[in-house]
Structures are given as structure tokens and as C-alpha cells.
Amino acid sequence: MIIGSDTFIFHLINGDDIPMHIDFAITIPGYTIMEQISKTHYSTVYRAAKTGEAQTVIIKALSIREPTPAQIARFRHEYELVRGVNIDGIIKTIGFIDYEGTLALVLEDFGGISLKKIIPDGFTMERFLNLAVRLAEILGILHQNNIIHRDIKPNNILLNVEADTLKIADFGIATETLQIDNEISNPITMEGTLPYIAPEQTGRMNCAVDYRADLYSLGITFYEMLTGQLPFQSKDPVEIIHAHIAKIPAPPHQLNSEVPGLVSDIVMKLLSKSTEERYQNGFGLAADLREGLRQLQKTGRIKPFPLGSRDISPRFIIPQTMIGREDEYYVLYAAFERVSQGRVEVMLVTGEPGIGKSTLVNEISKPIVGKRGYFITGKFDPFQKTVPYSAIVQAFQGLVRQLLTQSDEYLRNLKERLLADLGPNGKIITDAIPEIELIIGKQPDVQDLGSEETRNRFNLSFKKFVRAFADEKQPLVMFLDDLQWVDPASLHLMQTIATDQELRYALFIGAF
């Protein structure tokens, strides 16, 4: 069917304290290591003293023996990003160390401990509101300085209880946004800590990421501070991603009767799936929290009042809402509903450049993820017309990275199924999509055949490969954009897959 009308690389960074097998002694000239404070899969944090000085510092060292260039760049980025920013509410960076392969940041030590360690003790409502106001203001100032943290969570919020000093730490995946065009962009990586990331950070929504993602993560943090638990809990990463995108958690006051309804409403506003429905400014959030605190201190209770009356967006942002394409959207969604019952369909979207074909198709990714289906995308390029299968390979590379978020048991079962289906021809797939080796391992060479036999073998192997990912529990939707630049080999392979009599639960969408 033709509708006429006028990506994703997954990289999960979990900053929680996780015991790792990588462990080696650290020696830094001029510093005496006093104790190890915490350790993640990425870095180890020590308390140290500089030779001849009584004041201690925090040393955050890269805890990977042979870091990749990307990991090194990320570590240096953290130093470069915040060293020139003078904000009282963030950990100050003192220096950068590169000594005999050891990379480390030297940070101020103000005697803080993470909120994660304090949460089990609970907070009085007055104490919570006091901390919440300050956190909202710190984020407001941070965003004023064109910095998005992207990993707000209790582990990265430090409090010196005695001095009552609160600071945000760990800017390893923070980003600087000097221009609006750079600030608002669709993610090609998913970075952050999974229980705290905003829906748009998952890479599975037709929605760009901007500073409002920090406000969602702050809402998760507030939720945990008020209830002692996360709003979404599961051992299945895909289930948590689905929850961030599609599920509404129980309001905090339902889990803790001491939470006033208005405070609960503030948290739920922060947890809105749509960025437009959240607070637009840390200072607007702080104003509502401060009014709640004022009422509590004056009368002992908090009366309802309109939220967001002083919440003004600091930037002009066009709402990311699809308008005027509802009929076409429902045609696509109806096709997905049909393939979810076991059918295979091909749909084409056509129209002039720039009218929103890709946006329309990407919009159905939300209900697809809600039903645990796979939505994968590839885009043909006029400069790669001599490279066969480029967009198809791109789409399945994205699928592999989605698969790597699944449980070990799921991946073991998938490996067994793929190896059984592909037999001795596994290398045909790994040659086309090298990332598949991460699941099925290195494959033996295949027998040399004539050109016709080689093409037939490739088509048969790819059909079997696609079947492995489309089933009743997880339908497969593949979107190939800019079909006007498709190469003949890709077109033939698409026809071969779509007409496979054994394939079920698959929808193929093309735009041109």
C-alpha cells in the first residue's frame, strides 16, 4: 500500500557501584592514596592527600587497563567540560593526570556522601523540599551554562550532612550545547543509567533529547527519595525501557501516605513522557517546590495551587508533536496491528522532500516498543549506490545493538536458534553484519561457489536470519528511508525477504 501526502546505536552506561574483576594498584606521584571510595565498570574513586598538604582530594581514575580511544576521550571530556564552569552546586575539577597509562581526574573533596546511601534513612518532608529546591536550582544554573548532565541520579548527588552542602558530580556523559541546533538532536547512543533515563534517551522514540531529560531524571530521583523505591523495577532492561516509554508509575503519595498530594503532582509532572508536559526550567520547578516548603513551614500542610505558573522555557523550542498526519498514522498503525497477528505486509510512503515522511513513520515506533516489537531503520544514500545492501545492513546493525540489551539467557537462546537456522552459513551473515559475531561468535569460512549459487545461498541465509527475529511475541518492523537511492541488489533482497512464504509477523515500510 502507498500512502500519498502533500537510528540507533545502543550504548548503555551504568554508573552504579558494581564490583568489577578489573583491579590494579594505582600510583600517582605527589599523592598518597588513603582509601578507595567506590568502583564502577568504568572508573575507581579514591580519597587521597597531596604530598605536604592536609586537605584531601578525590581522585577518579579510569579503571580499564586498555581503554579505547572513545573511553579516553570521554574521560578528558569530563575534565574539559566543567573545569571552567564556576557553579557552587557542582564538584569542582582541580586537575587532570596522565601518568604511565593512568588517567585520572583530581576533584575537590567536600566530605559528601551520595544520596543513594542516605535514601534508606528517609527524609522528613521539610528536609526533602529543602534539598529538592536546591537541586532544581543547581540544574537551572547548569542549563543556563549550556550543560546537560544526562546522568542525574542519587549516586551522582553528594551531600555533606554536617555542612549541609549539596553538589552534583560525574559529568562523564554530560554535553555542552552552545547552539540550539546542537542542543536538540536525536540520540545515536543511549547513555545514562537505565532506571533513571528519560524516554527520549532510550533512542526508541521519535523525540529529540534536550535539557529536559535532566528534569525527568531528577523526577525519578525525587520519586526514590520520597518512596524509597524506583518507579520502574525489573531485571529485564527491555522491560525498563518499555516502562519509561509507555507506563505511568503509581504516584508517590499512593506509596507513602506522608507525601502531600501537591508534592506527588510535582514529581508526576517531572515524569511526563512528553517533554512539553514536564517542567521547562529548573527555576520554575524550584519556585513550586519553594512555595510548598513555605506553606509547610507556615501552616504544617501544603494546599493545592496551580503548578508551573512561573515555569518559562529558557529557549525557543518547537514542540515535537506530529500534527495533521493522524489518518496516515492510523493506516500505518493498523498495518502493524495486522502483522502482530501473523501477517507480512509492505507499505510505502511517498511525497516531496521535507514534508515529514520519516517523522510519520518514526512516530509508530512508540506503540511498537510498547508491544515489545523491534523497530529498525536504515537509510539509502546516493553516494553509496555502489555498496549493496547498505541500508538493510544498517537496519540490522541497529537491531543487534538492541538485542545486546537483552538478558544473557535470551542471548544464549537466540545464539542457539541462529546457529541452528544458519547451519554452516553463519559467516555469510557475519560478513554482511559483523556485529552479529557478538551474539553467535566467529564463524568458519564457507565453501566457494559460482556467482549464481553464491547469490542464492546469500538470499536463503538472509531469509532464515530475518525469520529468527520476527515472531508472535516480538513483531519486526523495518523502515528503509530514501528508497529512490536503492541499489538493485538491495531491491532484490527486499523482495526475497518480503515474499518469503515462511516469514510471519513482519512489516516493511519504505519512504521515497
Side-chain angles (χ1 to χ4, degrees), residues 119 121-125 128 222-229 250-264:
I119 284 175
D121 297 331
F123 301 90
T124 65
M125 185 50 53
F128 165 78
F222 286 173
Y223 194 102
E224 190 174 3
M225 293 171 68
L226 291 168
T227 67
Q229 66 184 56
H253 73 274
Q254 292 184 7
L255 301 178
N256 181 358
S257 60
E258 295 183 4
V259 177
L262 184 123
V263 174
S264 188

Side-chain angles (χ1 to χ4, degrees), residues 340-359:
S340 297
Q341 303 303 315
R343 296 183 57 174
V344 175
E345 295 196 20
V346 177
M347 303 197 76
L348 300 176
V349 182
T350 181
E352 295 298 318
I355 65 169
K357 300 184 297 296
S358 303
T359 299

Side-chain angles (χ1 to χ4, degrees), residues 71-90:
Q71 290 167 332
I72 294 173
R74 173 190 165 192
F75 209 67
R76 289 186 179 277
H77 165 78
E78 180 174 0
Y79 170 68
E80 295 293 341
L81 184 65
V82 298
R83 66 172 179 165
V85 179
N86 185 24
I87 300 175
D88 288 338
I90 69 172

Side-chain angles (χ1 to χ4, degrees), residues 139 143 147-153 173 175 183 185 187 191-193 196-202 207-221 244 270-276 278-281 317 320:
L139 273 189
H143 297 156
I147 296 175
I148 308 171
H149 189 280
R150 298 201 297 176
D151 198 17
I152 295 295
K153 59 182 179 180
I173 62 170
T175 183
E183 177 190 18
S185 58
E191 296 182 311
T193 306
Y196 301 90
I197 60 171
E200 60 271 24
Q201 284 181 280
T202 65
C207 184
V209 176
D210 59 38
Y211 67 94
R212 292 170 293 186
D214 283 349
L215 294 168
Y216 180 93
S217 299
L218 185 63
I220 298 281
T221 300
H244 280 305
L270 286 167
L271 296 184
S272 296
K273 308 301 182 185
S274 168
T275 55
E276 284 80 21
R278 293 176 206 153
Y279 281 93
Q280 304 298 296
N281 191 329
I317 300 175
Q320 300 172 56

